[in-house]
Amino acid sequence: MSRKIIKSKYDLYEEKIETIAEVPSEKEKPLAPNSKLKYVGKDVNRYDGYDKVSGSAIYTIDKVLPNMVFARVMVSPHPHAKIKSIDVSKALKLKGVLHIITNENTSEIPWYYNTSKLFDKHLRYQGDEVACVAAETEKIAEEALSLIKVEYEIMPHVVTAESAMKENAPKIHNNGNFGRPSEYTRGNFDEGIKQADVTIEDTFTTQVEVHNPTEVHCSVVNWDGGKLTVWDSTQSIFSVRDNVAQSLGLNASDVRVVKKYMGGGFGSKLEAGKYTVMAALLAKKIGRPVKAAMNRREMNLSVGNRPDSNQTITIGTKKDGTFTAMSHIAYGVMGAYPSGSSSYWPLRSIYKCPNIKIDNKSIYINAGRARPFRAPGHVQGTFALESIIDDLALKLGMDPIELRLKNYTEVDQDGDVPYTSKLLKEAYEKGAEEIGWKNRNKIPGSQTGEIKTGIGMASQIWWGGGAPPSYATLKLNSDGSAKIFSGTQDIGTGTYTFMQQIAADVLEIPIDKVNVDLGDTGTMPYSGGSGGSMTAPSVSPAVYDAAIQMKQKLISNAAAILEVDESNLIYSSGNISSKNDSSKSIEIKDVVGKIHERVLVTTGARNENPNGYAINSFGAQFAKVEVDTMTGIVRVKKIVAAHDIGRVLNRKTLENQFYGGVIMGLGYALMENRVIDDYTGKVLTTNLHDYKMPTMQDMPDIKVIIVSEEDNLISPTGVKGIGEPAMIPTPGAIANAVFNAIGVRIKSLPITPDKILEALNSKS
Amino acid sequence: MKDFNYIQPDSLSQAGKYLSNRNNDAVILSGGTDLLSLIKENIYTNENVVNLKTIPNLNNIKYKKGEGLTIGALTKISDVAESKIIKEKFTVLAEAAKEIASLQLRNMGTVGGNICQRPRCWYYREDFDCIKKGGGECFAYQGENKYHCIIGGGPCYIVHPSDLAVALTALDAKVKLFFDDSSRIIPIHEFFILPEDDYLFENILRDGEIVTEIIIPDLPDGAKSSYIKIKERETWDFAVVSAAAVISKKGSNIKSGKIAYGGVAPIPWTEEIINKSLKNLNADKNEIEKISKIILADAEPLEKNKYKVILAKNLVKRILTNLVLDA
């Protein structure tokens, strides 16, 4: 099958990502509809389910190598300080301590886009790395940390955006506390406001949320001569390979990154950790494998978070609800090092509006740096936007869905190009029906009684159409089994399983004949990081392509073996036979068995994205809540998630993703909150009691409705990603349902009992 | 975490002897659900840990009509939650037990340990040299005090974390203590102490003194009781505010009643004026409303916990309504 090399373009936020990629030169015939397939789209059990449930799956945190030692990182106890001196002599004398690295014995390795170093003397948050100890046991390493004597020069700190933006605020970086701003204009906002009959403006705030995946961030490293192997708990093995190689001055080919199972990442594991590079430096010095693992406290300080936000939104409309102007003026904290905190994208993209003004500021504070977090910016942006749209609907006397439909757009607002598919209208219809939209309170808060119920909804837009380069290699063996290799990684979402399903359906063989190996930069063809809801839409077409090629290869080989012209052969259920002569038939395992190498290999590639289209996923979630007006407690009774996500690859793992996204959205809406003490600049929520996440008992009834079939304009598998869409609208839907129940708008997340009680109290 | 010696006494008297020797720098372990995290976080750095679980006969529930209930200090919280007699007769205690933490923690945690657990204040648990740990100030007073006390505070502003303690206070329980080789029994309201009396501790236990038993006087037939706990998630959380009430009725009147609140003060809180006003009260909607309005009249909430006053009033209203009107 012929190939071509292209410059692949993919939009993510303002970034136009360009990569060189090899893609099939012709558009391939798409995978058959799910109704005609045996495995794809069905309730297929996870490939790795048994290993995970039985405990035989070895995660990175479980990895043990012979002769392995342990590293622990010492971090700054102060939010802002300079290291005056470090004395490790006492720690080095402790029995079992093997080596300690600090800024004094390590070369300067740039970090955080060159704004800092692996070991920086200038410590900008509680959790900034000071030293790293390797010892025979984790306990000895921990004890050694307490023996390191550091003299700090304590500097004034700022831990809120409001104080960091003040002119006389302590500067975290030489050029001040402002990061790269996000500004955007479409049309003329002021003109648009002049045309409006009604305007609404309000300010919404959201908190810092911490990823807190089950598996802590960790690496195990081992040198073999000048070559380094890293087992890492990561969402992106190739990014870690490149980061580590660059930090250590190695060729990328000399670093091999491996990851088999993953205990969650949610965006916090897309880059190499400092601990990974520190472990590699220690391992080199000691000559033994090193494991470096964070503890839960460090997980809450140092490995990322969702920035907070303060968003002021203005919308101008005609009397009939047609938007004439929208603006989004916001700021948020990105922590001590460069990241981003903008939250405007939903407002910019989801509704039709000719005049838009956006100004988002990202602020440095003395706290852990933000990292991508399951739909960066979109979750907080959707909460604010969808809250004010409901308020506007009330003001206009319109049904909230009607107002959204009034401003529905069939074309992407930036590029003025159509979407490959957009079934948001259908999601509104199906979702509204399932939740009983017509039963919501016409007048919010109008129910009598102490416990009031409410219904609310929110819409969602995201990218997640996938892109090349992404490759998968398929091997077919003479026992009839197949194996797929791809340098993507399964972060718990079901990547292993859908690959199996696609190959089994194309080759028409039993699914248990198909094995999958993922997550090894040393032996597998490239695929991208598992973030941005990109994995399935990027890699599923590559697997499909590999399987299609394999089928063709089998037919060609069978033709030679059977001495029948290819055009006279039929492929069916793993058998190849002649149309005319039923005695000429061969099973595919025998085809492989008859060829010299006893194995057939193909490598498939993700196709090029279509020109002239925008690729987005859409959805709407509906929440039914009960608010106890005596206690301020919100119970989410039901969430309906109605989404347009292209083809469903696996109904079970799809629903799992939605359950995970919804419960994460519920946690963000109602309880999760990183709290910093302003006076000392220290984090108060470094354990899983004080940082409250939802438990199984907080889970509502979740109903998942998929309104889409395959979208074959995108790729032959027609898939859009669902990781992020599953969470984006949940908090907005819950907030609107709470408003519908009590008739008072809670404008800040999380919606905790104190806020509800105080709001109800000041209303009455 | 500091290494420690693990001491396993066979008898109460052996434990008492060991613990009463101050040179031993020992701390008591029962269920360990709180102590082990205190040790791991280096808040406790004792040389010796004395395990009480090897001592027999400290884990039983006994009831005798007219006399009341006794609960051994090592009784599992889950056993209290599931005990038939406690559920029937001392409902408030079973309900409080059931509200504690998670099933796994209730299966480990003990009654004695629960009332002796240390505060959950995040300044106490995190890396702050706070007054409770012998430092110079209470960081919560002007800091992040959403979960802190609204009454009885100063110079430390914790709330007492135990659910059982609130129920036991409403039940007028007594606590049996063992020291060296002798016992004493004291009313539970004397067991807990305010920070103004001693801000380093939450109770009167001397170094090495062991809680061995809880004694609850019998309730008159027909007495009713209940516990309501407000927490920010469905399970595994401490009370934002809780209320325990025990009511005896005579016809439609309340004969006598006692209410205790959790999450509002450094100790389980009761108000004499409220308990008095419950006496011979003709309980209707209006009277309940009146009472709920005057509770915690002396509260002095901090900047971020004014909502607790509203919450406590609403809880009392709800608990009385449930016990008296909806019965």
Side-chain angles (χ1 to χ4, degrees):
Chain A
M1 213 159 279
S2 62
R3 290 283 179 272
K4 63 178 177 183
I5 306 296
I6 59 155
K7 191 181 263 181
S8 166
K9 292 177 184 150
Y10 182 79
D11 290 357
L12 192 66
Y13 299 98
E14 296 91 345
E15 282 180 72
K16 304 255 178 239
I17 299 164
E18 290 189 349
T19 30
I20 302 300
E22 187 175 302
V23 297
S25 17
E26 307 291 329
K27 197 168 160 37
E28 277 168 306
K29 185 175 164 242
L31 179 62
N34 283 355
S35 57
K36 299 219 163 78
L37 297 171
K38 190 167 175 193
Y39 300 114
V40 172
K42 311 301 179 300
D43 280 342
V44 174
N45 285 342
R46 281 177 190 265
Y47 176 68
D48 47 350
Y50 180 85
D51 287 340
K52 284 183 171 175
V53 173
S54 65
S56 58
I58 303 293
Y59 290 71
T60 307
I61 191 67
D62 305 318
K63 188 93 195 158
V64 177
L65 294 178
N67 227 12
M68 185 176 86
V69 303
F70 297 85
R72 289 287 296 134
V73 179
M74 180 184 186
V75 301
S76 170
H78 305 293
H80 202 188
K82 276 195 172 129
I83 299 172
K84 284 161 79 176
S85 65
I86 302 184
D87 180 2
V88 298
S89 56
K90 221 174 145 191
L92 277 172
K93 280 185 195 131
L94 184 69
K95 192 170 181 289
V97 172
L98 300 163
H99 190 50
I100 299 174
I101 50 174
T102 68
N103 71 72
E104 289 178 357
N105 60 359
T106 310
S107 60
E108 288 196 356
I109 297 173
W111 213 265
Y112 302 130
Y113 310 103
N114 237 340
T115 59
S116 183
K117 305 177 204 53
L118 185 70
F119 288 111
D120 197 334
K121 279 181 144 181
H122 186 170
L123 304 166
R124 295 178 178 88
Y125 74 99
Q126 176 203 18
D128 228 346
E129 292 82 350
V130 174
C132 189
V133 176
E136 294 286 350
T137 68
E138 205 165 358
K139 191 165 176 301
I140 296 171
E142 190 75 46
E143 198 181 338
L145 297 184
S146 64
L147 299 174
I148 298 174
K149 242 177 91 182
V150 184
E151 210 185 323
Y152 296 102
E153 176 196 332
I154 295 178
M155 300 164 75
H157 64 264
V158 274
V159 292
T160 64
E162 288 77 9
S163 45
M165 288 191 290
K166 285 184 185 147
E167 214 170 298
N168 57 354
K171 277 187 180 174
I172 294 164
H173 292 279
N174 291 337
N175 52 358
N177 296 341
F178 288 87
R180 198 175 63 173
S182 297
E183 289 164 358
Y184 171 80
T185 317
R186 181 191 305 151
N188 184 324
F189 173 77
D190 296 329
E191 282 302 313
I193 284 290
K194 275 184 210 155
Q195 293 158 22
D197 299 321
V198 177
T199 53
I200 190 165
E201 180 175 305
D202 220 328
T203 299
F204 299 85
T205 61
T206 61
Q207 75 280 31
V208 171
E209 182 186 25
V210 183
H211 305 75
N212 268 319
T214 313
E215 185 188 26
V216 295
H217 287 55
C218 55
S219 306
V220 176
V221 303
N222 191 31
W223 290 91
D224 183 358
K227 296 191 192 317
L228 178 69
T229 303
V230 179
W231 290 265
D232 200 33
S233 178
T234 180
Q235 296 172 243
S236 185
I237 52 173
F238 281 96
S239 303
V240 173
R241 178 195 70 172
D242 294 348
N243 293 164
V244 169
Q246 197 182 13
S247 298
L248 297 173
L250 298 171
N251 292 319
S253 60
D254 289 337
V255 179
R256 177 179 175 189
V257 179
V258 181
K259 194 222 64 126
K260 190 161 186 188
Y261 301 107
M262 172 84 146
F266 312 113
S268 69
K269 294 178 178 170
L270 286 161
E271 56 195 78
K274 279 191 175 181
Y275 52 88
T276 313
V277 172
M278 290 175 190
L281 291 170
L282 288 164
K284 182 101 192 167
K285 175 82 182 175
I286 302 163
R288 292 167 68 178
V290 174
K291 177 188 266 187
M294 304 284 96
N295 61 25
R296 189 52 64 184
R297 183 178 160 76
E298 289 155 349
M299 294 295 291
N300 278 281
L301 291 176
S302 310
V303 292
N305 54 66
R306 179 192 304 281
D308 67 8
S309 73
N310 179 301
Q311 308 172 52
T312 299
I313 297 180
T314 310
I315 303 179
T317 73
K318 292 289 189 191
K319 273 195 204 99
D320 70 355
T322 307
F323 295 166
T324 59
M326 296 174 104
S327 78
H328 188 271
I329 314 299
Y331 57 83
V333 298
M334 57 182 168
Y337 296 102
S339 182
S341 74
S342 63
S343 49
Y344 63 82
W345 206 281
L347 179 140
R348 171 171 165 175
S349 59
I350 193 165
Y351 299 112
K352 195 196 299 186
C353 184
N355 303 300
I356 289 207
K357 183 174 79 181
I358 282 160
D359 181 357
N360 282 199
K361 292 181 169 49
S362 292
I363 311 298
Y364 289 116
I365 60 164
N366 293 112
R369 174 176 160 260
R371 287 186 185 178
F373 193 153
R374 204 171 196 172
H378 277 238
V379 183
Q380 53 269 48
T382 298
F383 155 69
L385 175 66
E386 295 292 274
S387 293
I388 199 167
I389 285 187
D390 267 29
D391 288 347
L392 181 60
L394 191 69
K395 206 168 168 176
L396 293 167
M398 285 176 82
D399 179 295
I401 294 179
E402 192 192 332
L403 178 59
R404 286 168 173 87
L405 287 171
K406 186 88 201 165
N407 297 285
Y408 200 81
T409 176
E410 298 285 359
V411 295
D412 170 62
Q413 300 279 287
D414 278 344
D416 200 25
V417 290
Y419 297 107
T420 55
S421 59
K422 177 175 178 179
L423 301 168
L424 182 55
K425 229 177 238 176
E426 290 76 359
Y428 288 152
E429 275 166 28
K430 294 264 170 58
E433 192 188 321
E434 175 67 28
I435 201 80
W437 181 250
K438 60 181 189 305
N439 300 327
R440 76 191 192 288
N441 306 310
K442 298 291 176 307
I443 301 166
S446 58
Q447 282 173 28
T448 54
E450 290 173 355
I451 294 173
K452 297 174 193 264
T453 60
I455 288 173
M457 59 81 62
S459 321
Q460 163 262 317
I461 184 170
W462 182 251
W463 299 277
S470 176
Y471 310 106
T473 294
L474 176 64
K475 283 188 188 177
L476 195 68
N477 302 309
S478 56
D479 60 358
S481 70
K483 188 156 205 171
I484 300 164
F485 299 86
S486 176
T488 183
Q489 49 278 301
D490 189 331
I491 58 171
T493 51
T495 313
Y496 283 113
T497 315
F498 77 65
M499 289 187 160
Q500 250 193 319
Q501 292 173 272
I502 292 169
D505 266 335
V506 174
L507 294 174
E508 300 171 50
I509 58 176
I511 195 163
D512 56 11
K513 293 265 183 219
V514 186
N515 294 297
V516 187
D517 260 6
L518 304 176
D520 186 344
T521 64
T523 59
M524 294 172 186
Y526 176 86
S527 194
S530 293
S533 307
M534 291 279 281
T535 309
S538 297
V539 78
S540 65
V543 174
Y544 175 73
D545 183 34
I548 290 286
Q549 288 183 60
M550 181 61 75
K551 204 167 163 180
Q552 184 53 49
K553 213 170 200 170
L554 283 163
I555 293 170
S556 302
N557 277 278
I561 293 162
L562 298 173
E563 296 179 346
V564 176
D565 193 78
E566 268 186 41
S567 60
N568 282 330
L569 289 176
I570 296 173
Y571 187 110
S572 174
S573 306
N575 257 296
I576 299 168
S577 45
S578 163
K579 270 187 221 170
N580 316 323
D581 180 356
S582 60
S583 71
K584 299 237 173 190
S585 176
I586 186 166
E587 281 186 54
I588 58 172
K589 70 176 168 65
D590 297 329
V591 173
V592 183
K594 284 210 159 49
I595 61 167
H596 175 71
E597 61 270 35
R598 303 277 189 275
V599 63
L600 284 176
V601 184
T602 60
T603 293
R606 166 62 156 83
N607 60 294
E608 172 179 22
N609 277 327
N611 277 323
Y613 288 98
I615 307 177
N616 292 86
S617 69
F618 297 92
Q621 288 188 9
F622 293 75
K624 185 186 272 177
V625 304
E626 261 178 24
V627 184
D628 186 336
T629 56
M630 296 278 276
T631 64
I633 286 179
V634 177
R635 285 206 170 80
V636 181
K637 306 301 285 183
K638 184 172 184 175
I639 296 280
V640 176
H643 289 255
D644 161 14
I645 51 95
R647 182 198 296 266
V648 176
L649 288 174
N650 183 325
R651 187 71 204 188
K652 270 192 175 174
T653 54
L654 171 106
E655 293 204 3
N656 279 181
Q657 283 254 59
F658 273 99
Y659 298 161
V662 166
I663 195 75
M664 202 170 222
L666 184 150
Y668 180 64
L670 300 181
M671 57 190 85
E672 296 187 40
N673 190 8
R674 184 197 69 187
V675 182
I676 300 186
D677 179 62
D678 192 53
Y679 173 55
T680 58
K682 293 185 183 187
V683 179
L684 293 170
T685 47
T686 67
N687 60 61
L688 293 179
H689 170 258
D690 290 320
Y691 185 84
K692 290 186 205 307
M693 299 169 85
T695 66
M696 281 307 272
Q697 290 187 34
D698 298 288
M699 284 283 275
D701 177 18
I702 299 169
K703 171 93 179 170
V704 181
I705 299 170
I706 300 305
V707 297
S708 51
E709 308 279 336
E710 60 280 358
D711 178 348
N712 287 329
L713 278 170
I714 305 175
S715 74
T717 54
V719 174
K720 300 178 189 177
I722 57 166
E724 277 145 320
M727 178 180 183
I728 292 170
T730 317
I734 292 172
N736 280 338
V738 169
F739 176 72
N740 187 250
I742 62 173
V744 185
R745 174 64 65 183
I746 308 297
K747 295 175 200 168
S748 90
L749 295 185
I751 301 172
T752 41
D754 53 322
K755 291 179 188 167
I756 290 193
L757 286 173
E758 279 168 8
L760 288 173
N761 204 45
S762 60
K763 182 195 174 197
S764 59
Chain B
M1 187 182 100
K2 204 180 137 192
D3 286 352
F4 53 80
N5 301 309
Y6 191 46
I7 316 293
Q8 307 229 59
D10 298 329
S11 67
L12 205 50
S13 103
Q14 202 186 348
K17 287 253 164 1
Y18 187 87
L19 285 162
S20 60
N21 182 351
R22 277 183 161 272
N23 294 331
N24 280 338
D25 182 29
V27 62
I28 298 170
L29 171 82
S30 53
T33 57
D34 188 24
L35 181 71
L36 294 184
S37 55
L38 290 163
I39 291 174
K40 281 191 208 162
E41 299 296 330
N42 289 314
I43 298 169
Y44 277 29
T45 52
N46 302 66
E47 293 284 333
N48 301 297
V49 172
V50 180
N51 177 24
L52 297 186
K53 291 195 296 291
T54 46
I55 301 171
N57 304 324
L58 285 178
N59 61 343
N60 35 43
I61 297 170
K62 288 181 201 149
Y63 174 71
K64 208 164 181 192
K65 193 161 170 60
E67 284 179 22
L69 185 75
T70 59
I71 305 172
L74 290 185
T75 306
K76 301 284 187 202
I77 293 165
S78 51
D79 291 336
V80 173
E82 295 307 321
S83 155
K84 193 161 173 272
I85 184 70
I86 297 177
K87 280 204 277 196
E88 276 172 23
K89 188 90 188 172
F90 305 92
T91 316
V92 61
L93 190 60
E95 287 181 358
K98 199 151 195 179
E99 281 284 346
I100 292 168
S102 63
L103 187 60
Q104 294 92 328
L105 289 162
R106 292 196 291 276
N107 283 337
M108 286 302 293
T110 64
V111 171
N114 186 268
I115 66 166
C116 296
Q117 66 183 304
R118 302 310 310 273
R120 298 309 307 185
C121 169
W122 43 26
Y123 292 98
Y124 174 71
R125 298 275 165 170
E126 294 279 351
D127 178 27
F128 289 85
D129 189 21
C130 81
I131 191 164
K132 172 106 3 228
K133 288 185 280 195
E137 59 183 305
C138 173
F139 292 86
Y141 182 60
Q142 288 186 308
E144 292 298 332
N145 48 36
K146 178 183 164 184
Y147 300 111
H148 289 76
C149 70
I150 51 173
I151 198 160
C156 161
Y157 289 84
I158 60 149
V159 293
H160 200 278
S162 168
D163 290 304
L164 292 184
V166 180
L168 292 170
T169 300
L171 287 165
D172 279 324
K174 295 185 176 72
V175 185
K176 191 171 177 184
L177 308 176
F178 184 86
F179 184 71
D180 198 358
D181 229 346
S182 63
S183 290
R184 58 173 174 151
I185 293 174
I186 55 155
I188 195 152
H189 67 267
E190 288 174 25
F191 178 75
F192 295 109
I193 51 173
L194 283 170
E196 64 190 35
D197 295 322
D198 189 344
Y199 53 75
L200 293 176
F201 301 100
E202 296 82 55
N203 56 53
I204 58 157
L205 283 179
R206 283 172 285 169
D207 252 358
E209 203 167 16
I210 307 169
V211 173
T212 56
E213 197 172 74
I214 309 293
I215 302 157
I216 301 167
D218 206 4
L219 291 173
D221 285 338
K224 295 178 68 180
S225 65
S226 176
Y227 186 75
I228 303 182
K229 173 178 176 179
I230 300 308
K231 46 196 187 312
E232 288 187 341
R233 61 180 167 195
E234 289 283 303
T235 185
W236 191 39
D237 206 358
F238 289 84
V240 173
V241 173
S242 67
V246 181
I247 302 288
S248 301
K249 279 175 78 177
K250 193 178 185 181
S252 65
N253 282 10
I254 294 175
K255 201 170 134 207
S256 66
K258 185 158 188 178
I259 301 178
Y261 326 114
V264 299
I267 59 172
W269 198 254
T270 53
E271 291 181 304
E272 222 21 67
I273 179 169
I274 302 296
N275 297 333
K276 264 188 195 151
S277 63
L278 289 174
K279 227 173 172 79
N280 300 319
L281 182 79
N282 181 5
D284 59 15
K285 223 177 144 193
N286 279 340
E287 291 300 322
I288 289 174
E289 186 77 41
K290 262 193 220 161
I291 286 180
S292 72
K293 282 219 166 99
I294 59 165
I295 79 144
L296 294 173
D298 299 328
E300 290 179 329
L302 303 167
E303 194 193 337
K304 295 181 177 176
N305 64 13
K306 293 179 185 67
Y307 73 100
K308 281 194 175 188
V309 182
I310 310 170
L311 192 47
K313 287 177 192 292
N314 287 348
L315 281 196
V316 168
K317 193 169 147 186
R318 176 167 288 173
I319 206 165
L320 287 178
T321 306
N322 289 350
L323 284 176
V324 183
L325 298 185
D326 295 348

